[in-house]
Amino acid sequence: MFKPFSVMLQYLLPRTGLTELAGKLAHLHGGKYTTAVIRWFIKRYQVNMQEAANPDIASYTTFNAFFTRALKPGVRPLADATQICPVDGAISQLGRITQGQIFQAKGHQYSTRALLGGNTEMAQTYENGQFATIYLSPRDYHRIHMPCDGKLLSMTYVPGDLFSVNPTTAANVPGLFARNERVICEFENTEGKFVLVMVGATIVGSMGTTWHGIINPPRSGDIRTWDYRKYNRILKQGDEMGRFLLGSTVVLLYPASASLEFQSDWQPARQVRLGEAMAQKKPA
């Protein structure tokens, strides 16, 4: 199958090296040069700074400070829904997890077990459940919030590749979300367990959570797991739980017992916003 040049080029480029370099540059205090880069980025990607808590471009001392900017209070009201959208972005795919397989794009699927770093027990929890994959473009708000209330059970860092996660790459790189670097966060509430996976990508300098801080770098090459069961760490629906330092993708997993029904207008490629209704629990 013919792959677009932009995808073929990714196989040839030193993706990890480029990502580490981008991370270092994004942390530089470059004064007027940083401001110039931010201005270019805003214009290039049509970023809406009127929604930012701090719209003063010159006040951001690093690119990352700008990229992970907070929103003004009230610009993302929370819908009355069982599950709200946790990010600004676009729907990549959503639907049923069938025989342990998650749909990525036409002709491509990947296993729940692979996505979860080979954790067979965790993967079985979501057999015949549901998933939603949301892509965050460069222009989007890049903090991640809770889709519902949840008690944090565990967090796992899985080392991996660093392909882009844009729609073209997702349509052409097999098992993309299960081969890229990622952070798996499992939660539990009265309806059962659920997982939120933060998937890294080329130029994503790092990922972090509100309870741990920056997770990567370092990139040790080893799977690392943190167990939080004894800490009773509760996050409420809408609470910030993490952020990408440069853009990427979120994958949500729900067990069949959650009995969720996605909003009827939730379809691939649709633009979505933090706080809007994502899914409701089906009537008993």
Side-chain angles (χ1 to χ4, degrees):
M1 177 181 175
F2 173 77
K3 296 184 186 296
F5 176 73
S6 62
V7 176
M8 293 299 297
L9 185 61
Q10 291 181 57
Y11 281 95
L12 302 175
L13 290 173
R15 296 180 296 277
T16 300
L18 285 173
T19 299
E20 291 178 348
L21 176 61
K24 291 177 181 178
L25 291 175
H27 276 99
L28 284 179
H29 293 257
K32 64 181 181 181
Y33 300 106
T34 293
T35 301
V37 170
I38 293 172
R39 288 188 189 280
W40 170 85
F41 188 93
I42 290 171
K43 183 177 181 180
R44 170 68 176 81
Y45 292 105
Q46 298 296 297
V47 177
N48 183 5
M49 290 300 291
Q50 296 306 308
E51 294 184 333
N54 177 12
D56 180 7
I57 297 170
S59 70
Y60 293 101
T61 58
T62 68
F63 185 82
N64 265 338
F66 153 73
F67 199 80
T68 59
R69 64 196 175 277
L71 293 175
K72 287 179 181 176
V75 298
R76 295 290 186 275
L78 305 185
D80 182 11
T82 308
Q83 301 287 330
I84 61 168
C85 183
V87 293
D88 283 5
I91 301 167
S92 177
Q93 296 293 338
L94 76 167
R96 183 73 57 186
I97 300 169
T98 305
Q99 296 182 334
Q101 297 292 308
I102 297 173
F103 185 71
Q104 175 178 305
K106 184 177 180 180
H108 296 296
Q109 298 183 85
Y110 58 95
S111 75
T112 312
R113 180 176 178 274
L115 175 69
L116 299 177
N119 189 326
T120 301
E121 181 179 355
M122 185 183 290
Q124 288 174 343
T125 301
Y126 304 97
E127 181 61 35
N128 297 318
Q130 292 170 288
F131 78 95
T133 305
I134 306 172
Y135 166 67
L136 287 72
S137 73
R139 68 175 293 176
D140 290 320
Y141 168 66
H142 274 77
R143 298 190 186 191
I144 307 158
H145 295 250
M146 292 291 289
C148 59
D149 294 354
K151 174 185 176 181
L152 179 63
L153 299 179
S154 66
M155 180 177 74
T156 301
Y157 166 76
V158 180
D161 218 319
L162 287 166
F163 283 98
S164 169
V165 290
N166 63 35
T168 300
T169 307
N172 287 278
V173 176
L176 175 63
F177 304 122
R179 66 193 291 178
N180 266 17
E181 176 181 63
R182 54 204 179 277
V183 175
I184 302 157
C185 301
E186 187 171 40
F187 300 89
E188 185 176 46
N189 59 25
T190 55
E191 300 298 328
K193 296 179 179 180
F194 65 96
V195 160
L196 189 154
V197 183
M198 303 165 62
V199 183
T202 310
I203 313 299
V204 177
S206 60
M207 295 177 279
T209 61
T210 55
W211 57 84
H212 180 91
I214 298 300
I215 300 162
N216 61 316
R219 291 182 167 90
S220 63
D222 300 316
I223 293 178
R224 292 177 282 154
T225 297
W226 294 262
D227 189 335
Y228 293 99
R229 286 170 175 81
K230 66 180 181 181
Y231 295 107
N232 197 36
R233 189 179 294 275
I234 307 294
L235 288 89
K236 305 297 288 183
Q237 186 180 60
D239 284 353
E240 182 185 342
M241 59 76 59
R243 61 184 66 179
F244 290 114
L245 281 74
L246 300 184
S248 199
T249 287
V250 164
V251 182
L252 295 156
L253 304 181
Y254 297 97
S257 60
S259 191
L260 293 174
E261 183 173 6
F262 287 108
Q263 297 294 113
S264 59
D265 60 347
W266 268 54
Q267 300 295 328
R270 179 185 180 277
Q271 296 291 316
V272 293
R273 283 158 66 99
L274 164 67
E276 72 172 75
M278 179 174 70
Q280 300 282 9
K281 185 173 178 62
K282 295 177 183 178

